Amino acid sequence: MYHLIVFLPLAAAIIAGFGGRIIGDRGAQLVTCGAVIASAILSMVAFAQVALGHQPEHVVLANWITSGDFKVDWAIKVDTLTAVMLVVVNGVSALVHVYSIGYMSHDPHKPRFMAYLSLFTFAMLLLVTADNFVQLFLGWEGVGVASYLLIGFWYKRPSANAAAIKAFLVNRVGDFGLALGIFGIFLVFGAVDYETVFAASPAMAGKSFTFLNYQVDVMNTLTLLLFIGAMGKSAQIGLHTWLPDAMEGPTPVSALIHAATMVTAGVFLVARCSPMFEMAPETTQFVTIIGATTAFFAATVGLVQNDIKRIIAYSTCSQLGYMFFALGVGAYGAAIFHLFTHAFFKALLFLGAGSVIHGMSGEQDIRKMGGLYSRMKITAILMWIGSLALAGIGIPGVFGFAGFYSKDIILESDYAAHTSVGAYAFWLGTAAALMTAFYSGRLLFMTFHGRSRADHDVLHHVHESPQVMLIPLYVLAAGTLLTGYVFYEYFVGHHYAEFWGPALKVVGENVLEGAHHVPFWVKLLPLIMGVYGLAIAWSFYIDNVPKWSRLLGIAGAIGVIVAGAVPGVVEHQGGMILTGIATLVLALVFYFGRTSAPGILVATNQSLYQFLLNKWYFDELYDFLFVRPAKWLGLQLWKKGDGKIIDGYGPDGVTAAIGFVARRARVLQTGFVYHYAFAMLIGVAGLVTWYMLHSGGGR
């Protein structure tokens, strides 16, 4: 069964890629969709057996590399962590494959696209089923190659080619760190298989070795190098610039690679290596800081983006930050839980955005949309479901969307960590939750509600997507509604230890235990931020906000403040007072809010707006620091090094010298006999003179 799970997508990719002209477009679609759907079904069976049935599997396929003491097997390791990833990868991939039948219906290169999708799926499966770092690295590079091919699928577009190259190069920075980490692991442990390395990790805690001529801590150094690889693949701040540009690929690519699978590879890597990271406290603090900063940074940029796919892309970047700062405080189960739920609602949002783009004849600017609800009701409702999950909306103790459960437990874990970096992550994560809800509401209101801003000709052709595109959205919406509620107890609840078993290792007190006993206001605050964000977006972007709603907001604010001021009313007065103040601010926004509010904010904060619109100027900074110097150096090496030195003194120089001599020799060839006779006479005279001088005949 496990052989089929991994290799069915590879077989489909080979058949569709090399036999596409024989089997045709429909044949390629059927082969790839059938193979990945079968793999997805088998993955669910594996999840039931391994994760729920507690029967981990380890299948050795072959001896792969043997070189002296270095031995690596090609094996399939399926524990609970792998089983969860199999469901995510194959489940989302299968739905994307089906969706692509409709979305790519007018593309002339369907077999190639479907082959790339299946190839990517195989590479990701290779990564998550590896039982050693070398096999993981092969899958890691495989998804890099497949993402390059998919992002640049429309290779006739210069922007798509540039985005593909950018993704490839930025990821090489992270991959260099990962490669160094694997080299270091073999140097320290003498092995690269997980079982040996993880078992020996506690013995290496606190020890040092020489790296770059410095004495450094072994575990902190190795885990930091691994995390650099994770930063590149999972688009954390500093190595994030490739992710938004990757939207140049077809929308199914965005859903598959940049929402649910490839970008989660870094999160998976850190979770898989939890026995190592638990021995590296400095690295885990760094992971927490990077994750929290990324969550906040990406949320601020998402506030002002106008491309519907880029808004969701920055949301992905932000949510990955949540996963990492959960990993940083040791809440591994919470991070994977959010990875699991996020795959459903983010794929739903990306494919929903694709449905909008499809219905709008390729238009992606939300400023040119509006009022689409009446023409695309199904897509609108499905995107509302995904956005409410992203915003973390739910009723405590009753029911909530998937993100309500997974995002909240992350913030609660960071608060329960009782560390400075945990507090940093908690407050930045809370701020990011407010901004996430706002830009989610902004996307919805500007796309589906209010007055239409679309061109008349485009609006005339707006239509709902075909069922082949909507059916995957229905399945993802069901996952968005149910996964958080159904799996909460398994991933992060009372069944946590039994469910995960040895797949995730925590040394010392489990922060998830403390997360269930945080103050009431900590549990309530993320939900309030979500509601506030959506409400502010409504106030800003919808015409004629009813006056009664504004008055109700003010009354609610006063009531909450009074309740918070009365001793014993709530568990934590300070938190409730904070909530009341925030509610009052919201009420004032409602009361004075008008649709011109965004324009006023932009006009009065132009510098801040440009700073966010230009994504904190990371691209400009990298262009100044790296791109321009690299171009200058390349030009010098090409013109002066290669052109003047290598070519000048090499082939071009030799050719020029021969030509010079030939031109001079050609002057002697006049065609007159007396010239030749005179030359011969000079030659004979010279020869006789030389002979006489050297034979002694001149005495």
Side-chain angles (χ1 to χ4, degrees):
M1 177 176 72
Y2 300 106
H3 301 72
L4 293 176
I5 291 175
V6 176
F7 291 105
L8 275 176
L10 176 62
I14 294 172
I15 294 172
F18 293 103
R21 294 185 179 181
I22 299 174
I23 62 178
D25 294 350
R26 183 61 67 188
Q29 291 169 341
L30 291 176
V31 167
T32 53
C33 289
V36 179
I37 290 173
S39 185
I41 294 172
L42 293 175
S43 296
M44 295 176 189
V45 175
F47 180 83
Q49 292 180 354
V50 175
L52 302 179
H54 312 297
Q55 299 176 11
E57 295 284 346
H58 185 263
V59 181
V60 177
L61 302 179
N63 178 260
W64 186 18
I65 302 173
T66 300
S67 179
D69 295 333
F70 183 67
K71 296 181 180 180
V72 178
D73 288 333
W74 188 301
I76 298 175
K77 176 184 176 67
V78 186
D79 57 5
T80 302
L81 179 59
T82 302
V84 171
M85 294 301 297
L86 288 178
V87 171
V88 170
V89 173
N90 279 323
V92 174
S93 181
L95 296 172
V96 169
H97 273 72
V98 175
Y99 179 91
S100 299
I101 295 175
Y103 191 86
M104 304 295 288
S105 59
H106 301 296
D107 194 274
H109 305 292
K110 300 181 189 69
R112 180 165 62 90
F113 182 75
M114 301 304 288
Y116 288 169
L117 287 182
S118 294
L119 177 64
F120 171 84
T121 305
F122 164 72
M124 193 67 194
L125 292 173
L126 183 63
L127 189 159
V128 300
T129 58
D131 83 329
N132 60 80
F133 286 98
V134 176
Q135 188 176 330
L136 176 140
F137 190 74
L138 178 63
W140 193 275
E141 294 304 304
V143 295
V145 171
S147 69
Y148 171 82
L149 296 173
L150 286 166
I151 295 169
F153 178 76
W154 287 322
Y155 57 87
K156 293 183 179 180
R157 297 182 181 179
S159 58
N161 290 326
I165 294 171
K166 186 176 183 179
F168 197 79
L169 291 178
V170 173
N171 272 277
R172 295 290 70 72
V173 177
D175 294 356
F176 182 68
L178 177 61
L180 285 179
I182 296 174
F183 297 155
I185 287 171
F186 180 70
L187 174 68
V188 172
F189 297 100
V192 291
D193 63 286
Y194 296 152
E195 185 176 355
T196 302
V197 173
F198 296 163
S201 292
M204 298 305 299
K207 295 185 178 180
S208 61
F209 71 149
T210 302
F211 179 70
L212 298 178
N213 208 32
Y214 289 94
Q215 284 296 118
V216 294
D217 184 85
V218 171
M219 297 309 297
N220 280 311
T221 302
L222 294 180
T223 52
L224 181 61
L225 290 170
L226 294 178
F227 180 62
I228 291 173
M231 285 179 64
K233 199 68 75 181
S234 295
Q236 293 302 282
I237 190 167
L239 297 177
H240 68 280
T241 54
W242 67 271
L243 182 63
D245 289 7
M247 298 302 104
E248 290 292 338
T251 300
V253 175
S254 303
L256 179 63
I257 295 180
H258 310 113
T261 52
M262 179 178 130
V263 291
T264 63
V267 179
F268 168 80
L269 173 64
V270 176
R272 170 61 76 202
C273 297
S274 58
M276 297 180 67
F277 279 83
E278 286 292 293
M279 301 297 115
E282 284 80 7
T283 300
T284 55
Q285 291 179 10
F286 181 71
V287 171
T288 306
I289 293 171
I290 290 294
T293 306
T294 303
F296 180 82
F297 151 74
T300 62
V301 177
L303 295 174
V304 298
Q305 297 302 304
N306 298 308
D307 186 299
I308 188 171
K309 287 171 65 177
R310 282 183 179 267
I311 296 172
I312 304 173
Y314 276 106
S315 171
T316 299
C317 191
S318 182
Q319 297 307 304
L320 289 165
Y322 276 90
M323 298 175 204
F324 276 110
F325 69 70
L327 294 168
V329 298
Y332 301 103
I336 300 302
F337 187 35
H338 195 49
L339 183 157
F340 184 69
T341 61
H342 176 266
F344 288 95
F345 61 76
K346 189 52 63 67
L348 174 61
L349 286 173
F350 265 118
L351 296 185
S355 180
V356 172
I357 295 168
H358 184 268
M360 288 287 291
S361 304
E363 182 58 65
Q364 296 184 200
D365 193 332
I366 61 175
R367 294 172 297 182
K368 299 179 181 179
M369 299 180 187
L372 297 182
Y373 179 81
S374 60
R375 299 170 184 267
M376 304 183 72
K377 289 184 179 180
I378 297 176
T379 298
I381 292 171
L382 293 171
M383 286 200 71
W384 262 102
I385 292 173
S387 297
L388 291 174
L390 177 60
I393 303 301
I395 302 175
V398 181
F399 182 78
F401 295 89
F404 169 75
Y405 295 97
S406 57
K407 184 188 293 184
D408 282 20
I409 193 63
I410 288 177
L411 293 174
E412 291 161 13
S413 298
D414 280 275
Y415 182 88
H418 299 299
T419 61
S420 57
V421 293
Y424 175 81
F426 173 76
W427 289 111
L428 284 191
T430 300
L434 174 65
M435 292 184 283
T436 299
F438 176 82
Y439 64 64
S440 297
R442 176 175 176 265
L443 184 153
L444 292 170
F445 296 134
M446 291 188 70
T447 302
F448 297 108
H449 306 285
R451 61 183 179 84
S452 175
R453 299 172 300 280
D455 182 84
H456 178 74
D457 293 335
V458 173
L459 191 63
H460 180 71
H461 294 93
V462 172
H463 59 280
E464 189 61 88
S465 298
Q467 288 299 315
V468 71
M469 292 173 62
L470 292 178
I471 290 174
L473 297 183
Y474 298 147
V475 178
L476 290 170
T480 300
L481 290 170
L482 299 175
T483 51
Y485 179 80
V486 172
F487 293 103
Y488 180 87
E489 287 297 324
Y490 291 101
F491 280 76
V492 295
H494 297 93
H495 302 295
Y496 170 91
E498 181 184 0
F499 178 77
W500 290 109
L504 300 178
K505 183 177 179 60
V506 177
V507 176
E509 184 179 355
N510 192 333
V511 71
L512 283 175
E513 292 293 331
H516 296 296
H517 302 94
V518 297
F520 176 72
W521 70 270
V522 175
K523 295 177 177 291
L524 190 62
L525 192 58
L527 173 61
I528 293 172
M529 293 297 102
V531 174
Y532 286 172
L534 289 172
I536 294 172
W538 180 49
S539 175
F540 277 9
Y541 296 101
I542 295 297
D543 295 322
N544 301 320
V545 175
K547 185 174 291 186
W548 62 264
S549 67
R550 304 174 194 162
L551 296 175
L552 184 62
I554 294 176
I558 295 172
V560 172
I561 292 173
V562 171
V566 177
V569 173
V570 294
E571 184 176 351
H572 195 289
Q573 297 175 34
M576 189 57 79
I577 292 173
L578 178 66
T579 301
I581 294 172
T583 308
L584 179 60
V585 173
L586 174 62
L588 293 174
V589 171
F590 263 71
Y591 190 77
F592 295 106
R594 296 290 187 275
T595 53
S596 61
I600 294 172
L601 286 174
V602 170
T604 56
N605 298 276
Q606 188 62 224
S607 298
L608 177 60
Y609 175 75
Q610 290 297 326
F611 180 70
L612 299 180
L613 188 64
N614 287 284
K615 303 154 288 188
W616 291 26
Y617 293 103
F618 269 101
D619 283 313
E620 289 77 5
L621 178 63
Y622 288 172
D623 183 68
F624 176 77
L625 292 178
F626 304 116
V627 178
R628 292 182 187 178
K631 286 183 177 179
W632 178 86
L633 180 61
L635 187 64
Q636 300 305 309
L637 292 175
W638 172 38
K639 291 290 187 180
K640 294 182 179 180
D642 188 57
K644 289 188 177 181
I645 298 176
I646 298 177
D647 288 345
Y649 291 99
D652 291 347
V654 172
T655 303
I658 293 173
F660 176 81
V661 173
R663 285 192 298 272
R664 296 298 180 271
R666 188 175 59 189
V667 175
L668 301 175
Q669 306 299 319
T670 64
F672 295 107
V673 174
Y674 62 87
H675 284 173
Y676 299 150
F678 179 73
M680 292 172 63
L681 180 61
I682 295 296
V684 170
L687 182 62
V688 169
T689 301
W690 178 84
Y691 176 77
M692 294 297 291
L693 290 175
H694 287 80
S695 65
R699 295 177 181 176

